[in-house]
Amino acid sequence: AYYQEYPILDGGRKTRKGFVAMCKVLDYSEGGAKPHEKTLAGPKADRLNLLRATRSNFGQIFMLYSDKEMTVNKILDEAAKNKPDAEAVVDGERHSIWAITDPEKIEVVQDAMKDKSIFIADGHHRYETAINFRNEMRAAGVKCEGPECPENRMMTFVNMDDEGLTVFPTHRLVFNVKDFEAKNFVEQLGDFFVVREFPYDESSEAEARREFLEDLNVEGMSETTLGLCINGESRYLLLGLKERGLAEKLIPEDKPAEWKNLDVNVLHILVLEKILGIGPEELEAQTNVHYRRNANTSIDLVGKGEYQMAFLMNPTKVSQVKAVAAAGEKMPQKSTDFYPKLLTGMVFAKLNI
């Protein structure tokens, strides 16, 4: 059992409950874990070299599954009544683990998970690296026994129906857009969005910002809603699509509605690509867009002139991650930010090869 107790914005604390286990690695086409984000070649090459050298798993792959009956969580909670076998406190987060060795309890967990779909929340590069390493070992004729073998990979499984799950938004900060004119840009946004202004002067900025971020959060619960601040402009802008289903009409890709209606795809395709000329290649190379977790920091950096503008995002909903992954689609990078991160080194898996 692996529990993470962490602080939340209102000053309280939550606990995310998961368990660490070895899981069989299957290709995506074989019905294995369902990905939701694209990966890059560089990080996978680094991870593969580390795996070749150490023949061990140190870091976790963060998996989500659905278990409304909380069958597994009941066993985890029972283990968590005891003193942890290991504990670490990092940045106000308390990470605790308990070994579960009772064969009957392990069997209950295995039976509960047998028919579950699993979704990669974080660790896409590690999962694909595990597939590549498994294939290398197969080609080399390597044989090993027991669960700690190249056919399996250490993962942490978290129930997406548990209230301990938190997803943060990742904001987009834009720079190096040539010949940018704020007035013309906002007029172009009016083709797709209803634009609502939050004007301010020096004395009213804090109140305007608070109201702007609050409305971004509230309206984003039910509709696609983007926030925008532009360097040199004494106003915050809230962008809501002009009509429900508009993204499905305007986004040309042959993709399901769940994918087209993601806030990040509405932003990337309708705004960054269509209006600002920032396409997938520029996003991957980060020639025009940087990413930040904190909304206030993002706004402050724009105010200082370090960026031309910032798009303030709402977090991607867990239900959207599930729907997009189940449809066989992938989100853009930096679509989800599950908090807190799983610690590397809490548990090691030394492969028997």
Side-chain angles (χ1 to χ4, degrees):
Y2 177 12
Y3 281 20
Q4 297 168 279
E5 182 194 315
Y6 59 96
I8 53 178
L9 292 176
D10 65 5
R13 296 182 72 82
K14 290 172 72 172
T15 299
R16 189 172 70 195
K17 303 173 181 180
F19 68 94
V20 181
M22 300 299 287
C23 179
K24 188 172 180 63
V25 175
L26 296 173
D27 295 329
Y28 297 142
S29 60
E30 294 178 309
K34 299 181 188 301
H36 76 269
E37 281 191 353
K38 296 177 181 177
T39 56
L40 301 175
K44 285 189 285 189
D46 289 342
R47 294 191 184 285
L48 184 57
N49 285 332
L50 181 64
L51 192 47
R52 287 168 177 157
T54 64
R55 311 234 163 162
S56 301
N57 301 153
F58 306 103
Q60 298 296 330
I61 298 176
F62 182 176
M63 290 292 185
L64 294 172
Y65 67 98
S66 179
D67 177 18
K68 289 183 170 63
E69 291 75 29
M70 302 289 167
T71 304
V72 175
N73 277 37
K74 291 171 186 173
I75 289 177
L76 305 182
D77 285 340
E78 191 175 334
K81 291 176 183 177
N82 302 312
K83 182 181 177 181
D85 292 306
E87 200 164 58
V89 178
V90 181
D91 295 330
E93 308 158 10
R94 184 175 297 276
H95 300 253
S96 307
I97 58 172
W98 296 262
I100 298 176
T101 57
D102 184 334
E104 292 184 5
K105 292 176 181 177
I106 293 172
E107 190 173 347
V108 170
V109 174
Q110 289 174 321
D111 287 343
M113 295 297 296
K114 190 160 42 183
D115 300 320
K116 301 288 187 194
S117 293
I118 53 175
F119 304 87
I120 303 175
D122 196 8
H124 291 76
H125 293 94
R126 288 173 177 168
Y127 189 86
E128 292 177 22
T129 298
I131 292 173
N132 293 336
F133 186 69
R134 176 206 66 183
N135 293 343
E136 280 190 5
M137 295 298 99
R138 285 180 178 178
V142 172
K143 304 288 185 184
C144 83
E145 296 181 354
E148 292 88 358
C149 71
E151 297 291 325
N152 299 326
R153 210 306 182 169
M154 182 174 69
M155 305 178 190
T156 294
F157 299 84
V158 174
N159 185 357
M160 67 175 69
D161 299 308
D162 185 77
E163 61 185 15
L165 201 60
T166 295
V167 187
F168 281 147
T170 303
H171 310 297
R172 273 66 174 157
L173 285 77
V174 178
F175 61 101
N176 282 348
V177 177
K178 294 179 180 178
D179 304 319
F180 175 76
E181 293 181 4
K183 185 173 182 292
N184 181 50
F185 175 59
V186 174
E187 287 177 357
Q188 289 178 285
L189 289 173
D191 293 339
F192 307 134
F193 301 95
V194 174
V195 181
R196 185 151 66 93
E197 295 190 10
F198 295 76
Y200 59 86
D201 57 25
E202 189 173 341
S203 64
S204 62
E205 189 278 330
E207 177 60 23
R209 183 189 297 205
R210 185 198 62 76
E211 186 178 345
F212 161 68
L213 292 175
E214 188 175 280
D215 284 12
L216 170 66
N217 176 258
V218 171
E219 295 186 20
M221 291 179 183
S222 57
E223 302 289 345
T224 297
T225 309
L226 308 174
L228 171 64
C229 68
I230 303 173
N231 176 253
E233 294 281 304
S234 297
R235 55 179 176 166
Y236 298 120
L237 303 174
L238 207 60
L239 314 177
L241 285 172
K242 281 188 166 181
E243 60 182 83
R244 191 182 290 268
L246 185 62
E248 296 164 49
K249 298 176 186 176
L250 294 176
I251 294 177
E253 278 82 355
D254 182 20
K255 302 282 188 180
E258 294 89 349
W259 186 90
K260 293 185 177 183
N261 285 315
L262 290 170
D263 289 11
V264 288
N265 283 330
V266 169
L267 171 64
H268 285 191
I269 297 169
L270 297 186
V271 181
L272 298 186
E273 189 170 353
K274 283 184 177 291
I275 300 178
L276 296 176
I278 302 171
E281 290 182 4
E282 289 80 9
L283 285 173
E284 183 164 329
Q286 295 192 23
T287 55
N288 298 93
V289 178
H290 287 162
Y291 303 91
R292 289 271 179 169
R293 175 188 284 177
N294 188 283
N296 283 306
T297 300
S298 301
I299 292 171
D300 291 342
L301 289 171
V302 171
K304 293 175 183 175
E306 294 186 29
Y307 292 91
Q308 290 167 299
M309 70 193 90
F311 289 94
L312 289 307
M313 309 298 292
N314 281 303
T316 301
K317 300 175 181 65
V318 175
S319 60
Q320 292 177 305
V321 174
K322 184 177 179 180
V324 170
E329 300 294 342
K330 295 181 182 179
M331 300 179 185
Q333 279 208 315
K334 306 291 185 183
S335 296
T336 55
D337 184 2
F338 289 91
Y339 176 77
K341 298 296 184 186
L342 298 168
L343 282 190
T344 292
M346 284 291 282
V347 184
F348 291 3
K350 177 74 174 131
L351 303 182
N352 296 323
I353 49 177

